[in-house]
Amino acid sequence: MSDLLKLLLVEDDELFRLGLATCLRQEPKIELVLEAADGETAIDLVNQQTVDVAILDLLLPGLNGLETCQQLQKSHPKLPILVLTSHPDQDIVFKMIEAGAKGYCCKGIDAEKLILAIRSLSVGATWWDRNASEQISTALGRIDRTSPLIEEFQLTKRELEVLALITEGRTNQQIAGVLFITTGTVRVHVHAILQKLNVSDRTQAAIVALQRKLIP
């Protein structure tokens, strides 16, 4: 991946899309290469040109945001998708996670945090804003607690610190900076965490951490 992040913006509200596009274009090393007002157009565009991150509105004409996310992930499984919404809903949050979205935030998010979310997704991290994290926790509270999950994770203090930063959407490099360790050490901790939680990726680790209240 080059230093220049190429983005797809999918938003049917023309005025909001224009404002967000203007904001994104002012950011260095970010290029908004594709814009779409509906899911079908977005899918066609991504099939023609590669992008690094897709920013996807939930309420779209025709294919809704959930269906668009599912189709994009089916044809482009490595494309990180950041979901935008005006009205967070716990059922939708959970469905978007299952559909493969790597980030979720409300449209009122600060520009600085939005850029951080985009950059986090571009390097393989996840990003859930506070509202989404609360919705995830609430949704997971409805899951049968007798499901076969590991009861004793045996995480070390350092692994819990890394896990807490993972749930904030931090990249390995950012975690290394916060904890004053090398990125290689972070990768070792992340691998150990995934093994102990019996999950395959960071998003699932964050969900289990919230479900089991492993972190504050």
Side-chain angles (χ1 to χ4, degrees):
M1 183 185 298
S2 67
D3 291 338
L4 187 65
L5 288 181
K6 296 182 178 181
L7 306 182
L8 161 68
L9 174 60
V10 189
E11 168 62 59
D12 67 319
D13 185 325
E14 185 176 357
L15 186 60
F16 181 82
R17 187 174 71 248
L18 177 61
L20 186 55
T22 300
C23 173
L24 293 172
R25 289 191 174 104
Q26 293 175 347
E27 189 67 21
K29 296 186 178 181
I30 283 183
E31 182 181 6
L32 182 58
V33 295
L34 300 175
E35 294 184 50
D38 59 77
E40 292 90 341
T41 302
I43 293 169
D44 288 341
L45 290 174
V46 173
N47 287 335
Q48 298 172 26
Q49 183 171 349
T50 300
V51 293
D52 299 311
V53 177
I55 305 171
L56 177 65
D57 182 27
L58 270 182
L59 300 178
L60 295 172
L63 283 179
N64 61 35
L66 176 61
E67 295 167 331
T68 302
C69 182
Q70 290 171 332
Q71 292 203 25
L72 284 173
Q73 284 295 288
K74 184 177 181 179
S75 56
H76 304 276
K78 294 184 179 181
L79 174 63
I81 297 176
L82 176 65
V83 176
L84 291 178
T85 180
S86 300
H87 307 288
D89 176 88
Q90 64 182 27
D91 291 329
I92 292 297
V93 170
F94 208 57
K95 288 178 180 178
M96 293 307 298
I97 293 174
E98 293 176 339
K102 298 300 183 184
Y104 188 103
C105 59
C106 291
K107 288 186 176 180
I109 187 173
D110 294 339
E112 182 178 352
K113 289 184 178 179
L114 176 61
I115 297 302
L116 180 57
I118 293 169
R119 294 193 184 282
S120 295
L121 264 65
S122 72
V123 294
T126 57
W127 178 278
W128 312 105
D129 67 10
R130 180 172 299 178
N131 288 329
S133 295
E134 290 174 355
Q135 299 292 349
I136 293 169
S137 183
T138 301
L140 286 169
R142 302 198 308 271
I143 295 177
D144 182 2
R145 297 297 181 170
T146 63
S147 60
L149 293 172
I150 298 175
E151 295 298 328
E152 295 182 3
F153 299 116
Q154 298 181 341
L155 294 171
T156 66
K157 180 181 177 181
R158 177 63 85 188
E159 288 166 354
L160 286 172
E161 292 173 340
V162 173
L163 180 58
L165 294 170
I166 288 174
T167 64
E168 295 179 5
R170 304 294 187 96
T171 66
N172 284 354
Q173 185 174 1
Q174 291 168 340
I175 292 173
V178 172
L179 299 180
F180 300 102
I181 56 180
T182 67
T183 54
T185 300
V186 173
R187 286 194 294 270
V188 172
H189 287 313
V190 171
H191 178 74
I193 290 168
L194 298 184
Q195 291 293 316
K196 290 182 178 182
L197 298 187
N198 195 27
V199 296
S200 58
D201 59 43
R202 300 163 75 104
T203 298
Q204 293 177 7
I207 291 174
V208 172
L210 289 169
Q211 179 189 32
R212 288 322 212 26
K213 298 181 179 179
L214 299 178
I215 56 176

